[in-house]
Amino acid sequence: MSQDRSHRRGGEDALYRIAPHHYIHVLDQNTNITTLHIGPKTYIRQDNERVVFGPERMITIPPRHYCVIENPVARNDDSEVIMDNGQAKLLHADQEIRHAQDPFPLYPGEVVHTKVSPLKVVEANSALRLKALLDFESGPEKRTAGDEWLFEGPGTYLPRKEVSIVEPVKSTIIKPNQAIKLQARKECVDRDGKQRVTGEEWLVERVGAYLPGVYEEVVDIVNAYVLTEKVALHMRCLKSFTDRSNQSRKNGEEWLIKMSDTETYIPDVYEEVVGVVNITSLSNRQYCVILNPVDENGKPQLSKKKLVRGECSFFLMPGETLEKGIQAIYVLIFSDARGNIGEGNTGYLCAHFF
């Protein structure tokens, strides 16, 4: 073991027995040229030579693995190494990704940038976000430095020197009565074919797994509100838009969503839930006065009042309030001085409060 270690530092032995699938680098001190010698062979070192590396085992890449070589040797169209003054010509500052192949040596100047590693397997409902480091062409596709795209699974990703992996992307599971809020990081076309601008937000309500696009970002998961006959939602518009019922809403407009409209409701990105409104119920001996009542068109009638008698149930619309809450009615009956109820001309009216 100590002998091998000395050889890698540049041994001075005269005889080197190079085993199969091993190699050494020999420096000619007269010409300053380093050459590669591959086993099996017995190498006799000359006085003007020095073994600067090895014996070293060749690099073996098993199936479904890869490694990255920095400063790779240049090759011609027949994949033969190009020699320059007796030494292998290198592509300095370049990289080469090598996949499963026969064991190979490193030529003088080549460096292992990334050791032998397994290829990345991308599962279903997941992807890799990739970014182009250099301009390149891959079949009919042309990529420009800075472009981003997704490699969607299931599949095995084969790395390229022009591409870097930004991050893995996993799908978001959308359950019933749920939606995900997405935001565009850059102008793009979403998975429904709609054009989106930078910063735009929208909802996706399809039940199942949703894989965000390369320029899409999941902002939040929105749960639906369950409506009943006794509960309604007080909504407010944050930006002018057209809602799901094709009704135009203006910025700041407020309205109610009742069970008669839908059983469950997921607020849109331009809607805000102000609060939950409980139903107001009046018996046949109750009444109330509503201030600023809303007309048939949903417009508040400021400074007006509306009398509502029981028996009935209703929701207070946005902007409406009760003047004195729910009040009991007064029942007027006619009685004589003794307190007997009658129909005579003498007597007085008595107000009974219920």
Side-chain angles (χ1 to χ4, degrees):
M1 184 179 298
S2 61
Q3 184 179 4
D4 291 343
R5 195 178 299 116
S6 65
H7 287 171
R8 294 190 181 105
R9 291 196 301 266
E12 299 295 337
D13 294 345
L15 184 66
Y16 286 84
R17 292 183 174 87
I18 308 173
H21 298 149
H22 287 67
Y23 65 98
I24 62 173
H25 292 171
V26 179
L27 172 64
D28 188 333
Q29 300 183 77
N30 292 335
T31 61
N32 286 327
I33 293 177
T34 304
T35 55
L36 171 70
H37 296 269
I38 300 175
K41 69 183 296 186
T42 300
Y43 179 76
I44 302 176
R45 184 182 63 83
Q46 303 298 321
D47 292 339
N48 63 323
E49 294 177 338
R50 183 183 177 191
V51 177
V52 294
F53 186 76
E56 182 73 12
R57 179 179 293 275
M58 292 184 181
I59 297 176
T60 301
I61 305 178
R64 303 186 65 80
H65 286 66
Y66 76 102
C67 75
V68 181
I69 304 299
E70 192 170 1
N71 305 326
V73 293
R75 298 179 183 272
N76 56 22
D77 296 338
D78 297 328
S79 298
E80 297 175 349
V81 178
I82 299 176
M83 304 302 294
D84 184 15
N85 295 325
Q87 188 168 355
K89 183 178 180 181
L90 301 179
L91 301 176
H92 294 282
D94 198 358
Q95 292 182 349
E96 179 184 348
I97 297 178
R98 298 180 183 178
H99 299 282
Q101 56 183 282
D102 294 334
F104 62 90
L106 290 179
Y107 281 84
E110 289 186 328
V111 179
V112 177
H113 181 270
T114 302
K115 64 180 182 179
V116 177
S117 306
L119 295 172
K120 292 185 180 295
V121 177
V122 184
E123 299 178 353
N125 296 327
S126 61
L128 293 177
R129 178 175 292 163
L130 307 177
K131 185 175 183 179
L133 303 177
L134 302 170
D135 297 347
F136 72 97
E137 295 183 10
S138 177
E141 297 185 36
K142 293 184 179 181
R143 303 290 186 183
T144 305
D147 285 350
E148 293 185 5
W149 66 98
L150 293 182
F151 177 83
E152 300 183 14
T156 301
Y157 174 68
L158 301 178
R160 295 179 58 106
K161 65 178 182 179
E162 303 92 351
V163 180
S164 66
I165 299 177
V166 179
E167 62 178 351
V169 180
K170 293 186 177 181
S171 60
T172 302
I173 305 300
I174 305 175
K175 300 178 181 179
N177 295 328
Q178 273 189 345
I180 57 173
K181 181 188 291 186
L182 300 175
Q183 185 180 54
R185 300 190 299 114
K186 185 180 177 181
E187 292 185 4
C188 63
V189 178
D190 65 12
R191 294 192 178 275
D192 294 329
K194 296 182 179 179
Q195 188 72 32
R196 303 293 183 179
V197 298
T198 305
E200 183 179 354
E201 295 182 347
W202 68 98
L203 293 180
V204 175
E205 301 181 17
R206 291 193 303 271
V207 176
Y210 182 84
L211 185 64
V214 61
Y215 294 120
E216 297 175 0
E217 180 181 2
V218 177
V219 178
D220 193 14
I221 297 178
V222 183
N223 294 313
Y225 288 84
V226 179
L227 303 176
T228 65
E229 295 178 350
K230 298 181 179 181
V231 173
L233 289 181
H234 180 184
M235 309 299 299
R236 178 186 295 140
C237 181
L238 302 177
K239 180 182 177 182
S240 299
F241 77 108
T242 302
D243 64 12
R244 299 168 196 174
S245 59
N246 292 326
Q247 187 170 352
S248 179
R249 301 291 184 181
K250 302 298 182 183
N251 190 8
E253 181 180 351
E254 297 182 1
W255 67 96
L256 287 185
I257 301 293
K258 307 174 186 177
M259 185 179 177
S260 58
D261 301 319
T262 180
E263 295 182 357
T264 59
Y265 189 76
I266 299 177
D268 198 87
V269 293
Y270 300 125
E271 296 175 344
E272 177 187 16
V273 178
V274 180
V276 177
V277 180
N278 295 318
I279 197 170
T280 302
S281 299
L282 301 178
S283 66
N284 57 359
R285 292 182 178 274
Q286 291 177 329
Y287 77 98
C288 66
V289 177
I290 300 177
L291 301 178
N292 306 321
V294 174
D295 60 13
E296 297 178 353
N297 298 323
K299 303 298 181 182
Q301 303 177 75
L302 301 179
S303 301
K304 290 189 177 182
K305 297 181 180 181
K306 180 181 179 181
L307 175 65
V308 180
R309 300 184 180 91
E311 176 178 356
C312 68
S313 297
F314 62 92
F315 289 102
L316 285 176
M317 302 298 290
E320 293 181 342
T321 56
L322 297 181
E323 185 177 28
K324 295 181 180 179
I326 299 176
Q327 304 178 61
I329 66 173
Y330 289 88
V331 179
L332 301 178
I333 61 175
F334 183 80
S335 64
D336 57 17
R338 296 180 181 179
N340 298 321
I341 299 176
E343 297 179 354
N345 294 328
T346 62
Y348 58 88
L349 291 172
C350 178
H352 289 264
F353 178 75
F354 290 88

